[in-house]
Amino acid sequence: MNWDEKIERGLQDRQRTDAYRRRMAIVDGNQRFLAYQGRRYLNFSSNDYLGLARDPRVVEAWRQGAVRHGVGSGGSGHVTGYSLVHQALEHRLADWLGYERALLFSSGYAANQGIIGALAAEGDRILADKLSHASLLEAAILSPAHLRRFAHNDAASLARLARRDASGHLLVITEGVFSMDGDCAPLRALTDVASVAGGWLLVDDAHGFGVVGDQGRGSAWQQGCHPELLVVTFGKAAGVGGAAVLCTAPVAEYLLQYARHLIYSTALPPAQVYAIDAAVSAIIQGDALREQLRRNIARFRAGVISLGYTPGSPTSAIQPLLIGDNLLALAVTERLRERGCWLTAIRPPTVPPGSARLRITLTAAHQSADIDVLLEALNAARHLA
Ligand SMILES: *Cc1c(COP(=O)(O)O)cnc(C)c1O
């Protein structure tokens, strides 16, 4: 099979299973209304849970940062890319979240690759929740450590696997709030199992950070847990982009030696760090935004329950509606678009086969009338599903 045939076959594979992905060039995808091909839609697809991507405080901070420091960082953090601006944000994050150290990464994907790649060696074990994000599972698969997946949010399943073979260092991996299901990991139980087994827990809180816990400190804080490694990302509730890992001082030093994504990749632009810093301030002062989000979640859940759907977690901005069949999920999405609601059908391989779903995200930027429009559209599409 030559290259051309390989590409052709790969594309046909995706077409045959109705899993072919197409990007759409959207205008204002980070706002309450987005536009596509000249039409306006209510946006129920964005991860900008607090509406900070357009917050004037955050936008102004980025502008100020660019005026003062230019637009690029100029190099890896190990050369000239790490500045006082980066250092100040790392200190602030560590203090606020209760860790000795924080290290900035250019994305959550890079953070997970860098951390897991640096820590997991030959003979070590990784036990990951089977629904963990692709960036976590991929890093675990690529590492020389032995990967097993435990049943979703099931500490007993984790405990069984942890007991089975006690050799090597053990790294337990989970998300705080799961990106496709919106449910929360039982972090206390997972912490207990990990620590009894002498292992460390890595929590990727991409979807809990900013949204849950006092001041938006996230899932671990909310559940009174202190995982050895906490990943927070700034592309979701913070509305910007980038990520950080929170850890002890020795682990931070270790990562600075061995995490290749820190060593061989250009550091975040300082202006972006300004924006992240302003977003963190907005998150800390964000009780009113979180309250608005909670009201939207409650209104949506009450509505879909009365339509006969089973909604997601009561605290999560991510509300999946399980459809099952890929084509049906696309048909429902299409019907909702006709009624002015934009949301995404999530299909395998992002989710397990037969569990295609509508991934509805609610944000603080939605008004209660927006939720009602969505419920009305779901009601109209109900005969399809
Ligand atoms: C979005 C996401 C990431 C990736 O973060 P980026 O900053 O977008 O690269 C990692 N983990 C989880 C759970 C995510 O949802």
Side-chain angles (χ1 to χ4, degrees):
M1 184 167 49
N2 66 29
W3 273 109
D4 291 334
E5 287 161 356
K6 176 187 155 80
I7 300 297
E8 188 55 35
R9 190 167 302 181
L11 293 175
Q12 279 167 1
D13 264 5
R14 283 290 156 94
Q15 263 152 359
R16 210 181 39 242
T17 54
D18 304 316
Y20 200 88
R21 294 161 196 258
R22 276 188 186 80
R23 297 179 305 169
M24 285 160 287
I26 284 172
V27 179
D28 295 334
N30 58 5
Q31 292 210 112
R32 179 176 159 227
F33 287 100
L34 60 75
Y36 180 64
Q37 294 182 338
R39 245 198 99 181
R40 214 165 80 116
Y41 299 85
L42 274 167
N43 181 0
F44 292 105
S45 246
S46 126
N47 294 326
D48 181 24
Y49 303 126
L50 299 180
L52 293 181
R54 294 280 178 149
D55 188 293
R57 297 166 290 181
V58 180
V59 173
E60 177 56 21
W62 196 316
R63 201 185 66 80
Q64 281 284 331
V67 169
R68 285 185 204 151
H69 302 286
V71 290
S73 67
S76 148
H78 282 54
V79 186
T80 57
Y82 184 67
S83 70
L84 284 170
V85 176
H86 296 76
Q87 186 182 53
L89 178 61
E90 288 183 347
H91 287 169
R92 180 182 196 199
L93 289 168
D95 282 350
W96 176 47
L97 297 172
Y99 281 82
E100 283 177 8
R101 291 282 293 274
L103 296 177
L104 294 174
F105 282 82
S106 52
S107 73
Y109 207 102
N112 289 335
Q113 300 290 309
I115 297 161
I116 293 168
L119 292 175
E122 186 78 45
D124 293 338
R125 288 182 303 153
I126 297 176
L127 297 177
D129 187 292
K130 73 191 246 288
L131 297 189
S132 296
H133 190 259
S135 59
L136 296 163
L137 289 176
E138 190 204 64
I141 290 165
L142 293 177
S143 86
H146 184 62
L147 166 67
R148 301 283 316 261
R149 295 160 216 235
F150 60 93
H152 177 53
N153 280 346
D154 186 340
S157 162
L158 170 63
R160 275 193 298 280
L161 291 176
R163 271 197 303 271
R164 190 169 297 171
D165 160 25
S167 65
H169 306 98
L170 170 65
L171 183 63
V172 175
I173 293 178
T174 186
E175 292 182 37
V177 172
F178 280 82
S179 54
M180 293 300 141
D181 296 77
D183 53 348
C184 311
L187 295 180
R188 275 170 178 273
L190 299 179
T191 302
D192 288 347
V193 175
S195 72
V196 165
W200 278 2
L201 178 65
L202 184 166
V203 175
D204 174 348
D205 206 21
H207 299 276
F209 178 73
V211 176
V212 299
D214 177 49
Q215 293 185 347
R217 286 183 178 99
S219 311
W221 190 280
Q222 182 189 36
Q223 297 186 38
C225 294
H226 197 271
E228 285 80 7
L229 297 148
L230 172 65
V231 172
V232 297
T233 70
F234 307 120
K236 303 210 164 123
V240 184
V245 60
L246 288 297
C247 57
T248 65
V251 172
E253 289 302 313
Y254 186 91
L255 292 175
L256 285 170
Q257 315 312 312
Y258 295 106
R260 304 171 67 80
H261 297 69
L262 287 177
I263 303 169
Y264 298 108
S265 183
T266 303
L268 284 174
Q272 186 176 342
V273 177
Y274 267 57
I276 296 168
D277 190 65
V280 167
S281 298
I283 285 171
I284 291 173
Q285 299 154 17
D287 283 346
L289 294 174
R290 281 183 287 276
E291 186 47 41
Q292 177 62 40
L293 174 59
R294 257 186 286 280
R295 273 198 298 272
N296 289 340
I297 294 168
R299 192 178 188 94
F300 173 77
R301 290 184 86 254
V304 286
I305 288 170
S306 73
L307 292 180
Y309 286 103
T310 309
S313 148
T315 57
S316 173
I318 303 162
Q319 295 287 326
L321 294 185
L322 193 70
I323 303 289
D325 179 69
N326 286 357
L327 280 181
L328 196 53
L330 289 175
V332 175
T333 309
E334 201 42 54
R335 194 58 57 89
L336 293 169
R337 289 218 176 129
E338 285 163 15
R339 293 185 153 247
C341 294
W342 190 278
L343 43 83
T344 314
I346 308 281
R347 291 166 291 159
T350 305
V351 292
S355 76
R357 66 199 64 187
L358 311 181
R359 182 176 182 272
I360 295 164
T361 52
L362 302 170
T363 79
H366 290 127
Q367 301 180 358
S368 49
D370 303 343
I371 311 294
D372 296 345
V373 169
L374 174 61
L375 290 168
E376 194 47 50
L378 280 168
N379 188 29
R382 196 161 49 148
H383 69 278
L384 290 172

PDB file of all heavy atoms in Angstrom, residues 253-269:
ATOM      1  N   GLU A 253      11.267  20.907  40.133  1.00  0.00           N
ATOM      2  CA  GLU A 253      12.659  20.880  39.661  1.00  0.00           C
ATOM      3  C   GLU A 253      12.887  19.679  38.738  1.00  0.00           C
ATOM      4  O   GLU A 253      13.573  19.791  37.719  1.00  0.00           O
ATOM      5  CB  GLU A 253      13.622  20.834  40.857  1.00  0.00           C
ATOM      6  CG  GLU A 253      13.681  22.150  41.629  1.00  0.00           C
ATOM      7  CD  GLU A 253      14.094  23.332  40.734  1.00  0.00           C
ATOM      8  OE1 GLU A 253      15.063  23.194  39.973  1.00  0.00           O
ATOM      9  OE2 GLU A 253      13.403  24.376  40.783  1.00  0.00           O
ATOM     10  N   TYR A 254      12.302  18.548  39.116  1.00  0.00           N
ATOM     11  CA  TYR A 254      12.432  17.335  38.297  1.00  0.00           C
ATOM     12  C   TYR A 254      11.846  17.572  36.904  1.00  0.00           C
ATOM     13  O   TYR A 254      12.465  17.251  35.888  1.00  0.00           O
ATOM     14  CB  TYR A 254      11.731  16.169  39.011  1.00  0.00           C
ATOM     15  CG  TYR A 254      11.902  14.831  38.351  1.00  0.00           C
ATOM     16  CD1 TYR A 254      12.953  13.985  38.695  1.00  0.00           C
ATOM     17  CD2 TYR A 254      11.007  14.395  37.372  1.00  0.00           C
ATOM     18  CE1 TYR A 254      13.111  12.742  38.085  1.00  0.00           C
ATOM     19  CE2 TYR A 254      11.153  13.167  36.752  1.00  0.00           C
ATOM     20  CZ  TYR A 254      12.199  12.336  37.112  1.00  0.00           C
ATOM     21  OH  TYR A 254      12.354  11.119  36.507  1.00  0.00           O
ATOM     22  N   LEU A 255      10.637  18.165  36.883  1.00  0.00           N
ATOM     23  CA  LEU A 255       9.992  18.414  35.586  1.00  0.00           C
ATOM     24  C   LEU A 255      10.818  19.386  34.740  1.00  0.00           C
ATOM     25  O   LEU A 255      10.888  19.268  33.521  1.00  0.00           O
ATOM     26  CB  LEU A 255       8.567  18.932  35.785  1.00  0.00           C
ATOM     27  CG  LEU A 255       7.575  17.906  36.370  1.00  0.00           C
ATOM     28  CD1 LEU A 255       6.228  18.573  36.647  1.00  0.00           C
ATOM     29  CD2 LEU A 255       7.381  16.717  35.423  1.00  0.00           C
ATOM     30  N   LEU A 256      11.442  20.351  35.410  1.00  0.00           N
ATOM     31  CA  LEU A 256      12.271  21.302  34.654  1.00  0.00           C
ATOM     32  C   LEU A 256      13.474  20.605  34.011  1.00  0.00           C
ATOM     33  O   LEU A 256      13.991  21.061  32.995  1.00  0.00           O
ATOM     34  CB  LEU A 256      12.744  22.443  35.567  1.00  0.00           C
ATOM     35  CG  LEU A 256      11.659  23.470  35.909  1.00  0.00           C
ATOM     36  CD1 LEU A 256      12.132  24.424  37.002  1.00  0.00           C
ATOM     37  CD2 LEU A 256      11.257  24.255  34.660  1.00  0.00           C
ATOM     38  N   GLN A 257      13.912  19.493  34.612  1.00  0.00           N
ATOM     39  CA  GLN A 257      15.021  18.749  34.005  1.00  0.00           C
ATOM     40  C   GLN A 257      14.532  17.829  32.891  1.00  0.00           C
ATOM     41  O   GLN A 257      15.208  17.662  31.890  1.00  0.00           O
ATOM     42  CB  GLN A 257      15.758  17.859  35.043  1.00  0.00           C
ATOM     43  CG  GLN A 257      16.080  18.498  36.373  1.00  0.00           C
ATOM     44  CD  GLN A 257      16.733  19.865  36.240  1.00  0.00           C
ATOM     45  OE1 GLN A 257      17.675  20.030  35.475  1.00  0.00           O
ATOM     46  NE2 GLN A 257      16.192  20.837  36.964  1.00  0.00           N
ATOM     47  N   TYR A 258      13.349  17.206  33.091  1.00  0.00           N
ATOM     48  CA  TYR A 258      12.979  16.082  32.230  1.00  0.00           C
ATOM     49  C   TYR A 258      11.747  16.287  31.347  1.00  0.00           C
ATOM     50  O   TYR A 258      11.511  15.477  30.459  1.00  0.00           O
ATOM     51  CB  TYR A 258      12.766  14.822  33.089  1.00  0.00           C
ATOM     52  CG  TYR A 258      14.028  14.352  33.773  1.00  0.00           C
ATOM     53  CD1 TYR A 258      14.223  14.535  35.144  1.00  0.00           C
ATOM     54  CD2 TYR A 258      15.039  13.732  33.033  1.00  0.00           C
ATOM     55  CE1 TYR A 258      15.389  14.118  35.770  1.00  0.00           C
ATOM     56  CE2 TYR A 258      16.209  13.313  33.656  1.00  0.00           C
ATOM     57  CZ  TYR A 258      16.381  13.507  35.021  1.00  0.00           C
ATOM     58  OH  TYR A 258      17.525  13.090  35.615  1.00  0.00           O
ATOM     59  N   ALA A 259      10.929  17.305  31.620  1.00  0.00           N
ATOM     60  CA  ALA A 259       9.714  17.462  30.797  1.00  0.00           C
ATOM     61  C   ALA A 259      10.082  18.160  29.494  1.00  0.00           C
ATOM     62  O   ALA A 259      10.352  19.361  29.450  1.00  0.00           O
ATOM     63  CB  ALA A 259       8.632  18.242  31.554  1.00  0.00           C
ATOM     64  N   ARG A 260      10.079  17.395  28.417  1.00  0.00           N
ATOM     65  CA  ARG A 260      10.613  17.889  27.148  1.00  0.00           C
ATOM     66  C   ARG A 260       9.791  19.050  26.599  1.00  0.00           C
ATOM     67  O   ARG A 260      10.315  19.893  25.874  1.00  0.00           O
ATOM     68  CB  ARG A 260      10.683  16.733  26.149  1.00  0.00           C
ATOM     69  CG  ARG A 260      11.515  15.579  26.696  1.00  0.00           C
ATOM     70  CD  ARG A 260      11.416  14.344  25.840  1.00  0.00           C
ATOM     71  NE  ARG A 260      12.027  14.554  24.537  1.00  0.00           N
ATOM     72  CZ  ARG A 260      13.340  14.488  24.299  1.00  0.00           C
ATOM     73  NH1 ARG A 260      14.171  14.207  25.277  1.00  0.00           N
ATOM     74  NH2 ARG A 260      13.808  14.695  23.101  1.00  0.00           N
ATOM     75  N   HIS A 261       8.502  19.098  26.958  1.00  0.00           N
ATOM     76  CA  HIS A 261       7.657  20.189  26.462  1.00  0.00           C
ATOM     77  C   HIS A 261       8.015  21.515  27.123  1.00  0.00           C
ATOM     78  O   HIS A 261       7.647  22.567  26.619  1.00  0.00           O
ATOM     79  CB  HIS A 261       6.190  19.859  26.689  1.00  0.00           C
ATOM     80  CG  HIS A 261       5.773  18.644  25.932  1.00  0.00           C
ATOM     81  ND1 HIS A 261       6.213  17.387  26.253  1.00  0.00           N
ATOM     82  CD2 HIS A 261       4.978  18.502  24.847  1.00  0.00           C
ATOM     83  CE1 HIS A 261       5.707  16.521  25.397  1.00  0.00           C
ATOM     84  NE2 HIS A 261       4.955  17.167  24.544  1.00  0.00           N
ATOM     85  N   LEU A 262       8.699  21.465  28.245  1.00  0.00           N
ATOM     86  CA  LEU A 262       9.187  22.705  28.854  1.00  0.00           C
ATOM     87  C   LEU A 262      10.532  23.106  28.254  1.00  0.00           C
ATOM     88  O   LEU A 262      10.863  24.284  28.170  1.00  0.00           O
ATOM     89  CB  LEU A 262       9.376  22.519  30.369  1.00  0.00           C
ATOM     90  CG  LEU A 262       8.105  22.440  31.199  1.00  0.00           C
ATOM     91  CD1 LEU A 262       8.448  22.182  32.660  1.00  0.00           C
ATOM     92  CD2 LEU A 262       7.314  23.734  31.068  1.00  0.00           C
ATOM     93  N   ILE A 263      11.309  22.114  27.865  1.00  0.00           N
ATOM     94  CA  ILE A 263      12.684  22.381  27.462  1.00  0.00           C
ATOM     95  C   ILE A 263      12.777  22.777  25.989  1.00  0.00           C
ATOM     96  O   ILE A 263      13.492  23.706  25.634  1.00  0.00           O
ATOM     97  CB  ILE A 263      13.566  21.136  27.740  1.00  0.00           C
ATOM     98  CG1 ILE A 263      13.482  20.769  29.226  1.00  0.00           C
ATOM     99  CG2 ILE A 263      15.011  21.392  27.310  1.00  0.00           C
ATOM    100  CD1 ILE A 263      14.079  19.411  29.569  1.00  0.00           C
ATOM    101  N   TYR A 264      12.000  22.060  25.151  1.00  0.00           N
ATOM    102  CA  TYR A 264      12.176  22.216  23.702  1.00  0.00           C
ATOM    103  C   TYR A 264      11.041  22.959  23.034  1.00  0.00           C
ATOM    104  O   TYR A 264      10.820  22.806  21.838  1.00  0.00           O
ATOM    105  CB  TYR A 264      12.350  20.833  23.059  1.00  0.00           C
ATOM    106  CG  TYR A 264      13.580  20.123  23.566  1.00  0.00           C
ATOM    107  CD1 TYR A 264      13.473  19.039  24.431  1.00  0.00           C
ATOM    108  CD2 TYR A 264      14.850  20.566  23.214  1.00  0.00           C
ATOM    109  CE1 TYR A 264      14.594  18.405  24.924  1.00  0.00           C
ATOM    110  CE2 TYR A 264      15.989  19.937  23.698  1.00  0.00           C
ATOM    111  CZ  TYR A 264      15.850  18.856  24.553  1.00  0.00           C
ATOM    112  OH  TYR A 264      16.966  18.232  25.034  1.00  0.00           O
ATOM    113  N   SER A 265      10.297  23.750  23.788  1.00  0.00           N
ATOM    114  CA  SER A 265       9.157  24.441  23.197  1.00  0.00           C
ATOM    115  C   SER A 265       9.152  25.892  23.674  1.00  0.00           C
ATOM    116  O   SER A 265       9.514  26.183  24.816  1.00  0.00           O
ATOM    117  CB  SER A 265       7.875  23.714  23.626  1.00  0.00           C
ATOM    118  OG  SER A 265       6.753  24.301  23.034  1.00  0.00           O
ATOM    119  N   THR A 266       8.743  26.786  22.798  1.00  0.00           N
ATOM    120  CA  THR A 266       8.726  28.213  23.115  1.00  0.00           C
ATOM    121  C   THR A 266       7.775  28.511  24.274  1.00  0.00           C
ATOM    122  O   THR A 266       6.653  28.002  24.299  1.00  0.00           O
ATOM    123  CB  THR A 266       8.295  28.997  21.855  1.00  0.00           C
ATOM    124  OG1 THR A 266       9.201  28.675  20.793  1.00  0.00           O
ATOM    125  CG2 THR A 266       8.318  30.497  22.095  1.00  0.00           C
ATOM    126  N   ALA A 267       8.248  29.286  25.222  1.00  0.00           N
ATOM    127  CA  ALA A 267       7.424  29.627  26.391  1.00  0.00           C
ATOM    128  C   ALA A 267       6.217  30.458  25.962  1.00  0.00           C
ATOM    129  O   ALA A 267       6.216  31.095  24.908  1.00  0.00           O
ATOM    130  CB  ALA A 267       8.258  30.403  27.403  1.00  0.00           C
ATOM    131  N   LEU A 268       5.188  30.447  26.799  1.00  0.00           N
ATOM    132  CA  LEU A 268       4.005  31.269  26.538  1.00  0.00           C
ATOM    133  C   LEU A 268       4.423  32.722  26.322  1.00  0.00           C
ATOM    134  O   LEU A 268       5.288  33.232  27.049  1.00  0.00           O
ATOM    135  CB  LEU A 268       3.071  31.248  27.750  1.00  0.00           C
ATOM    136  CG  LEU A 268       2.218  30.016  28.010  1.00  0.00           C
ATOM    137  CD1 LEU A 268       1.495  30.189  29.346  1.00  0.00           C
ATOM    138  CD2 LEU A 268       1.212  29.822  26.888  1.00  0.00           C
ATOM    139  N   PRO A 269       3.800  33.416  25.377  1.00  0.00           N
ATOM    140  CA  PRO A 269       4.060  34.850  25.236  1.00  0.00           C
ATOM    141  C   PRO A 269       3.705  35.578  26.541  1.00  0.00           C
ATOM    142  O   PRO A 269       2.675  35.274  27.148  1.00  0.00           O
ATOM    143  CB  PRO A 269       3.110  35.276  24.121  1.00  0.00           C
ATOM    144  CG  PRO A 269       2.806  34.029  23.369  1.00  0.00           C
ATOM    145  CD  PRO A 269       2.857  32.916  24.378  1.00  0.00           C
TER     146      PRO A 269
END
